[in-house]
């Protein structure tokens, strides 16, 4: 693949399909400072698409580490500078576009920190963006997209045998293939892929599923769905009426569970990060809708502190189906970055649930949402639960059992 050409195509994909920037619209772009060169390509594509203004915020996780580690008073960690919510609110009010390029230059930056201090900081950050989460994302006022950009530190954490620029180049190669930017007709390939995800979602909705059953080695899990649950996948429509793709890549069809119906044991099939610490070899038990017990080979203490950080963090907020045809799964790598890893396998998330996956959910009162088992939390972490050995079966409201995935692969497209 011609690396430079593929990078241009990827920037184009992010702007034209991911954010779908419209003439006169502003873009808010956040990225790691090491991704500056790629961020500039994205900025160029945005102005060429007619952007009014591109706000660029280049950061570094070590800045956050420094704050959590050295803040002399715990209360300082709750502080929200006035400019922070202003920026989020502005994006919502002007119906702008919000792009986050993930890929930290220092995967270790947030590890080994005091868990309570880290959670305190995370919760304050979440509060600063309340309106963005409620209206920007929840009511699609903003066209938002999360994509990735390769950095050396991130790449070195994935590939044992490669260092420095060689590792970063290999990661770019993988990322560009996964997002189909190696194909000349990248935008066309995404239109086709988007259609397939939409038709999968539609087929699942027509089944009228009451429960999903996951079965495999160490896994016997039931996830219940309310009558209002709707499967979504691929692009979303903003208040401006524009289709955008919230995640690049996206390979999932997902919905909001009735958290009260979660029951059984599940083995997590891939490591994942919690507050910067890798959690590995996790087996979880759910009783009466609550995460009641777990064992972990690594990162258990961090995971415990996370699920105890608020009451909703022990209940499910998402269930998603991904087949082994996913290019992320096919790559054979664990990327240690949830944007990619969640698109490798079926997953469940503890924490906050999307109202947009509930029929009429955005307009429901807190009481109505509670009545159908919608979960609210400041947390949201995806945990991958499938591979080539896991089957997924739908139990419909009329009691039929329909195999959806067998040995990790979709039964029908
Ligand atoms: Zn997901
Ligand atoms: Zn999720």
């Amino acid at each position: 693949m011609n690396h430079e050409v593929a990078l241009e195509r990827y920037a184009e994909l992010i702007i034209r399909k991911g954010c779908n920037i419209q003439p006169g619209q502003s873009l808010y772009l956040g990225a790691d400072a090491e991704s500056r060169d790629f961020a500039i390509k994205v900025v160029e594509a945005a102005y060429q698409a007619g952007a009014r203004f591109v706000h660029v915020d280049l950061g570094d996780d070590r800045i956050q580490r420094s704050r959590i580690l050295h803040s002399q008073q715990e209360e300082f960690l709750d502080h929200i500078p006035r400019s922070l919510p202003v920026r989020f609110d502005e994006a919502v009010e002007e119906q702008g576009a919000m792009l986050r390029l993930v890929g930290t230059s220092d995967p270790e930056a947030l590890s080994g920190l005091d868990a309570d201090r880290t959670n305190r900081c995370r919760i304050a950050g979440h509060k600063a963006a309340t309106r963005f989460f409620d209206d920007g994302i929840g009511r699609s006022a903003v066209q938002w997209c999360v994509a990735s950009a390769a950095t050396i530190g991130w790449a070195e954490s994935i590939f044992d045998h490669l260092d420095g620029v060689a590792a970063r180049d290999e990661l770019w190669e993988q990322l560009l293939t996964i997002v189909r930017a190696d194909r000349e007709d990248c935008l066309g390939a995404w239109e086709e892929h988007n259609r397939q995800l939409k038709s999968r979602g539609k087929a699942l909705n027509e089944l009228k599923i009451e429960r999903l059953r996951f079965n495999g080695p160490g896994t016997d899990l039931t996830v219940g769905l309310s009558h209002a649950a709707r499967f979504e996948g691929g692009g979303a429509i903003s208040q401006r009426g524009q289709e955008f793709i919230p995640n690049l890549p996206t390979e999932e069809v997902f919905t909001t569970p009735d958290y009260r119906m979660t029951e059984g044991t599940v083995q997590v099939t891939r490591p994942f990060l919690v507050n910067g610490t890798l959690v590995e070899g996790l087996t979880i038990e759910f009783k009466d809708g609550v995460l009641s017990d777990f064992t972990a080979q690594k990162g258990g203490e961090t995971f415990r502190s996370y699920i105890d950080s608020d009451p909703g963090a022990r209940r499910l907020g998402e269930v998603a189906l991904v087949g082994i045809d996913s290019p992320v799964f096919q790559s054979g790598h664990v990327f240690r970055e949830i944007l990619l890893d969640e698109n490798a396998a079926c997953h469940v998330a503890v924490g906050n649930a999307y109202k947009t996956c509930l029929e009429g959910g955005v307009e429901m009162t807190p009481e109505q949402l509670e009545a159908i088992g919608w979960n609210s939390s400041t947390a949201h972490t995806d945990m991958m639960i499938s591979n080539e050995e896991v089957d997924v079966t739908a139990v419909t409201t009329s009691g039929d059992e329909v195999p959806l995935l067998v040995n990790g692969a979709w039964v029908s497209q």
Side-chain angles (χ1 to χ4, degrees):
M1 135 181 29
N2 182 325
H3 195 78
E4 272 306 304
V5 173
L7 279 176
E8 305 274 344
R9 256 189 229 130
Y10 181 32
E12 194 76 12
L13 169 69
I14 288 171
I15 290 302
R16 301 278 176 178
K17 294 282 175 202
C19 301
N20 193 7
I21 294 285
Q22 297 301 302
Q25 198 173 21
S26 289
L27 172 66
Y28 296 75
L29 160 59
D32 189 288
E34 197 190 312
S35 299
R36 185 191 58 195
D37 289 350
F38 182 64
I40 290 169
K41 282 192 198 305
V42 173
V43 169
E44 279 169 10
Y47 281 120
Q48 281 163 1
R52 180 178 62 172
F53 190 83
V54 185
H55 303 256
V56 180
D57 185 9
L58 297 178
D60 189 314
D61 283 343
R62 287 170 298 184
I63 296 169
Q64 181 81 335
R65 175 183 183 83
S66 173
R67 182 183 181 205
I68 295 168
L69 197 59
H70 301 302
S71 273
Q72 292 196 348
Q73 295 181 28
E74 296 258 318
E75 305 85 79
F76 290 173
L77 298 170
D78 304 329
H79 178 68
I80 301 167
R82 242 198 302 170
S83 59
L84 205 61
V86 165
R87 187 172 266 221
F88 281 117
D89 292 354
E90 191 182 10
V92 170
E93 279 158 26
E94 65 180 27
Q95 301 188 334
M98 183 77 81
L99 170 65
R100 174 84 206 148
L101 292 176
V102 298
T104 175
S105 52
D106 184 357
E108 294 291 302
L110 299 176
S111 69
L113 293 169
D114 180 83
D116 291 337
R117 286 172 73 98
T118 305
N119 281 323
R120 199 160 173 165
C121 221
R122 179 178 58 78
I123 288 167
H126 190 91
K127 280 184 184 149
T130 301
R131 195 161 157 219
F132 175 73
F133 286 120
D134 287 352
D135 295 339
I137 291 187
R139 294 187 170 82
S140 301
V142 165
Q143 287 156 219
W144 60 280
C145 177
V146 184
S148 63
T151 55
I152 288 175
W154 178 27
E156 286 178 338
S157 77
I158 301 170
F159 309 116
D160 293 336
H161 58 290
L162 291 171
D163 292 314
V165 176
R168 193 186 59 198
D169 287 351
E170 174 61 24
L171 179 53
W172 266 128
E173 199 83 2
Q174 297 287 337
L175 295 178
L176 292 168
T177 305
I178 285 169
V179 298
R180 302 164 172 85
D182 58 332
R183 304 191 200 171
E184 216 167 300
D185 183 25
C186 170
L187 299 189
W190 269 92
E191 274 159 28
E192 180 51 38
H193 178 51
N194 194 28
R195 263 195 296 276
Q196 191 192 33
L197 290 174
K198 296 265 170 231
S199 76
R200 265 181 194 161
K202 190 164 171 268
L204 291 171
N205 289 333
E206 282 165 0
L207 278 179
K208 303 209 179 308
I209 299 169
E210 191 181 77
R211 274 168 290 151
L212 291 169
R213 277 210 320 253
F214 296 83
N215 292 99
T219 291
D220 183 359
L221 178 74
T222 299
V223 176
L225 305 183
S226 75
H227 60 86
R230 307 286 297 162
F231 280 88
E232 305 241 339
I237 307 287
S238 72
Q239 284 179 10
R240 283 175 178 254
Q242 299 298 331
E243 184 168 44
F244 63 101
I245 303 178
N247 287 181
L248 288 173
T250 184
E251 303 293 331
E252 59 174 345
V253 281
F254 59 98
T255 192
T256 290
D258 178 339
Y259 75 79
R260 301 166 301 182
M261 294 165 75
T262 319
E263 207 69 55
T265 310
V266 63
Q267 198 165 333
V268 176
T269 52
R270 293 187 156 225
F272 60 100
L273 287 166
V274 172
N275 287 338
T277 298
L278 205 64
V279 180
E280 277 188 89
L282 191 66
T283 302
I284 301 175
E285 225 178 283
F286 285 93
K287 261 201 188 98
D288 299 324
V290 177
L291 194 166
S292 55
D293 203 6
F294 72 86
T295 57
Q297 281 160 8
K298 259 188 197 168
E301 275 320 298
T302 306
F303 185 67
R304 183 178 305 282
S305 145
Y306 185 77
I307 58 174
D308 286 338
S309 65
D310 83 44
R314 278 181 180 259
R315 308 188 295 230
L316 282 200
E318 179 188 346
V319 58
L321 303 179
V322 179
I324 56 173
D325 58 322
S326 152
V328 187
F329 184 86
Q330 292 294 325
S331 78
H333 294 292
V334 174
F335 288 93
R336 300 178 176 228
E337 167 51 62
I338 199 63
L339 169 70
L340 290 144
D341 290 328
E342 74 156 309
N343 283 301
C346 296
H347 51 275
V348 288
V350 284
N352 206 46
Y354 290 114
K355 290 178 199 165
T356 45
C357 293
L358 297 170
E359 191 83 60
V362 176
E363 310 310 327
M364 284 183 193
T365 63
E367 294 72 32
Q368 288 172 316
L369 287 164
E370 179 59 36
I372 54 168
W374 176 80
N375 191 30
S376 158
S377 172
T378 59
H380 182 103
T381 288
D382 297 316
M383 301 178 293
M384 287 58 72
I385 59 167
S386 77
N387 54 26
E388 318 87 318
E389 295 181 293
V390 173
D391 297 337
V392 185
T393 310
V395 182
T396 69
T397 47
S398 47
D400 295 332
E401 297 195 5
V402 182
L404 301 177
L405 287 95
V406 172
N407 294 328
W410 283 102
V411 171
S412 63
Q413 291 305 305

